[in-house]
Amino acid sequence: MEAPREPHSVSLKVLRLSRPSLSQSGPPLPKHASATGIDSGKALDIPSGVDEEFCLSPIVQYCCRLHQTALADSPQLTLPPAFGQAYVGETFSCTLCANNELLGGTDRIINGLKIGADMQTPSGTVPLELTPEDDNSVNRQLGPGESLQRIVRFDLREEGNHVLAVSLSYSETTLSDGKAASSGRVRTFRKLYQFAAQPCLSVRTKVSDIPTAEPSSGTDPSSKPTRFALEAQLENMADGAILLEKVTFNTKAPFLSTSLNWDAGSQDGERKEAPTLVPRDVVQVAFLIEEQPQAKVSVPQREVKDGRTVLGQLSIRWRTAMGDSGFLTTGWLMTKKR
């Protein structure tokens, strides 16, 4: 029979770093069937002395819809329960805490502590950088009850299971009665922490050809620049509201894109505010994609794969209600096969 393993003198704790959320002092407002506001038949009674026309105006209704829990939120913050959700496009952060579990007056000392971590994703393993960097921790002695903390961050870019693997090694030295080292050993162990990354935004795209005018006589039809319309539906799959900061289309030469969204500006020069999406809300964005005329100098040829023209990639930036940022880039978007 194998002898029972001696417990380690150093323990490892992994804690996820995430922002708190606003606590609720009452039930949230119900979701409304209307896409633009509150159903007047189900709205709360309007207090006396308040202009009914003002309360039912589209702006007020729109604000109430975007902030469904505004009336139920309290100024207090709530810590996230347990691990919480991990979403693709956001940065996964956690702190690694190595604790010396020895009691005071022990005849053993701990030094040479090293912490390493890597992230196992569906496509491979990525080594992680720890902050602050280990400077003198190799020679530093960790006294009883003391701890060493490091922070790791990783940008989640894939859906599916992820495994955070943390390894820890340290030197354990036993002192004699004369406080001289009588024996020593190096001990190591490794722990695995598994979680699933879920999509924060669902992106559905559609590329359509825009008919061009008939070429004049004697003009080569192939020299006529081609235009496309890109439509994309963005659905919030997270459990909280998000603010779309920026949606851009990064074209592949020889194409150029023009935004047809809230950041394009109106005729009076004013720009609309970026949309806020509550869970399961959908917003549609569109871009006009035009090919540069081949007559221009040094215009590269379009890239074609399997009879489909490569247009570019859609990039999306957003922020959560508490300020966490997210970023997502789609794969290469192409035209229909010809």
Side-chain angles (χ1 to χ4, degrees):
M1 295 180 59
E2 294 184 1
R5 294 183 178 181
E6 181 182 353
H8 281 274
S9 302
V10 178
S11 64
L12 177 65
K13 303 292 184 182
V14 177
L15 303 175
R16 186 180 179 190
L17 301 177
S18 55
R19 299 176 188 264
S21 59
L22 292 172
S23 62
Q24 290 186 358
S25 59
L29 296 177
K31 273 195 169 183
H32 308 290
S34 172
T36 58
I38 299 176
D39 184 357
S40 58
K42 298 180 180 179
L44 298 176
D45 293 336
I46 300 175
S48 58
V50 179
D51 188 358
E52 180 177 354
E53 183 177 355
F54 168 78
C55 290
L56 296 180
S57 66
I59 296 179
V60 175
Q61 295 178 17
Y62 185 63
C63 293
C64 291
R65 174 175 172 269
L66 292 182
H67 305 283
Q68 294 181 13
T69 60
L71 299 179
D73 283 340
S74 72
Q76 309 226 346
L77 298 178
T78 300
L79 294 177
F83 182 84
Q85 302 290 341
Y87 294 107
V88 175
E90 298 181 353
T91 300
F92 175 84
S93 305
C94 65
T95 179
L96 314 178
C97 185
N99 306 301
N100 185 349
E101 300 294 345
L102 297 176
L103 301 177
T106 181
D107 59 351
R108 290 178 290 174
I109 60 174
I110 303 298
N111 56 16
L113 188 63
K114 293 182 180 180
I115 303 177
D118 56 70
M119 184 70 74
Q120 301 172 11
T121 68
S123 61
T125 302
V126 181
L128 301 180
E129 180 180 352
L130 279 65
T131 56
E133 297 181 358
D134 289 336
D135 41 16
N136 298 322
S137 60
V138 175
N139 301 320
R140 175 190 170 191
Q141 180 176 325
L142 198 66
E146 293 184 351
S147 63
L148 178 68
Q149 296 187 18
R150 294 292 182 265
I151 295 176
V152 295
R153 293 182 174 86
F154 181 75
D155 294 333
L156 298 174
R157 292 291 177 257
E158 299 178 79
E159 296 182 35
N161 290 331
H162 289 62
V163 178
L164 174 64
V166 184
S167 58
L168 188 145
S169 65
Y170 61 94
S171 298
E172 184 180 81
T173 305
T174 303
L175 303 177
S176 61
D177 294 338
K179 300 300 181 181
S182 60
S183 63
R185 57 179 176 172
V186 176
R187 306 193 66 185
T188 63
F189 64 89
R190 182 178 173 91
K191 285 190 174 183
L192 304 178
Y193 303 88
Q194 181 175 343
F195 63 94
Q198 304 175 8
C200 180
L201 277 177
S202 173
V203 183
R204 296 181 290 271
T205 60
K206 176 185 177 183
V207 177
S208 305
D209 295 349
I210 298 180
T212 57
E214 292 294 334
S216 58
S217 58
T219 304
D220 184 7
S222 61
S223 64
K224 188 71 175 179
T226 308
R227 301 195 304 169
F228 300 95
L230 170 66
E231 303 170 81
Q233 288 186 341
L234 312 179
E235 181 178 359
N236 181 8
M237 306 297 292
D239 55 0
I242 62 173
L243 170 70
L244 290 180
E245 283 193 322
K246 194 174 184 180
V247 180
T248 58
F249 187 73
N250 305 319
T251 56
K252 185 88 170 178
F255 295 99
L256 298 175
S257 68
T258 302
S259 174
L260 305 177
N261 308 305
W262 63 89
D263 55 350
S266 58
Q267 295 180 354
D268 55 4
E270 295 184 0
R271 291 192 175 186
K272 299 180 180 179
E273 293 185 359
T276 300
L277 304 181
V278 298
R280 300 303 179 269
D281 255 5
V282 179
V283 66
Q284 182 160 321
V285 296
F287 293 86
L288 173 63
I289 305 172
E290 299 178 284
E291 183 181 10
Q292 300 181 67
Q294 295 296 329
K296 288 188 176 182
V297 181
S298 68
V299 174
Q301 298 292 326
R302 62 172 68 179
E303 182 178 345
V304 180
K305 294 182 179 179
D306 299 328
R308 305 172 67 188
T309 303
V310 180
L311 299 178
Q313 294 175 299
L314 190 66
S315 297
I316 309 162
R317 289 185 179 275
W318 69 87
R319 283 194 180 273
T320 64
M322 301 305 292
D324 288 319
S325 60
F327 177 77
L328 181 66
T329 301
T330 65
W332 292 106
L333 302 179
M334 297 181 284
T335 62
K336 297 178 180 179
K337 191 171 183 179
R338 297 181 182 276

